[in-house]
Amino acid sequence: MRIDVPEGQHPIEYVWGDLVPGIGMAAANFSLSVYAHTTLGLREFEAARLRIAQINGCVFCLDWRTDRDGEKVEEGFADAVTEWRTTGAFDDRTRLAAEYAERYALDHHNLDEEFWARMTGHYSQVEIVELSMSIGSWLAFGRLNHVLGLDSVCVLPGG
């Protein structure tokens, strides 16, 4: 970890809350809102989230699975996300979510008319904005946690 966390303090709570309370709490609320207020289906949500986790290399994010009322994506879903171009496990919306996440993170200057025609053929404008904000949150905060080394010291409950 690259930030000195006082003994006995939880690294995420300390860095996000104690070090920068004005910014950190706003960021935490935004991050939590992406999960609490999404209207996106679980599979497309997780395809985009996991693709960003793979790109960021965030250990915690790679291990996390979104739970919606006891429902999670199936075992092996993360492998399918890695192979989003060719997997038979995805419908068009899920595949587009993974593609959008990857292009948003790595090639946002080349989101061309052909891509947007495919996106608007499967997603409403509201869903595109929601997915964009979610991807932005995961990209920023997963990367922050990885760069500062927080992802390797925070574990899932029971982990």
Side-chain angles (χ1 to χ4, degrees), residues 26-149:
N29 286 333
F30 175 48
S31 180
L32 292 172
S33 290
V34 165
Y35 294 88
H37 302 292
T38 187
T39 63
L40 297 168
L42 180 60
R43 291 179 65 77
E44 59 253 21
F45 186 87
E46 279 293 273
R49 190 196 63 73
L50 277 164
R51 189 66 197 118
I52 293 299
Q54 291 166 349
I55 290 165
N56 280 344
C58 177
V59 175
F60 182 84
C61 303
L62 287 165
D63 200 31
W64 174 264
R65 293 298 176 272
T66 301
D67 185 322
R68 296 229 186 116
D69 300 321
E71 184 181 343
K72 294 182 180 184
V73 293
E74 69 274 9
E75 196 69 32
F77 188 84
D79 293 332
V81 170
T82 301
E83 302 296 326
W84 65 263
R85 287 173 185 82
T86 58
T87 185
F90 289 174
D91 63 12
D92 290 340
R93 281 176 59 95
T94 305
R95 187 178 319 281
L96 273 167
E99 178 183 358
Y100 185 39
E102 181 175 302
R103 292 179 72 173
Y104 186 105
L106 301 175
D107 196 25
H108 64 283
H109 290 286
N110 290 310
L111 292 169
D112 56 15
E113 291 305 315
E114 181 275 329
F115 171 79
W116 286 116
R118 288 187 292 118
M119 276 298 283
T120 58
H122 292 281
Y123 286 91
S124 70
Q125 288 185 353
V126 169
E127 290 173 318
I128 290 170
V129 171
E130 183 179 327
L131 186 56
S132 300
M133 287 185 174
S134 297
I135 291 168
S137 169
W138 301 319
L139 182 62
F141 304 136
R143 192 162 290 182
L144 176 146
N145 288 336
H146 181 71
V147 166
L148 297 180

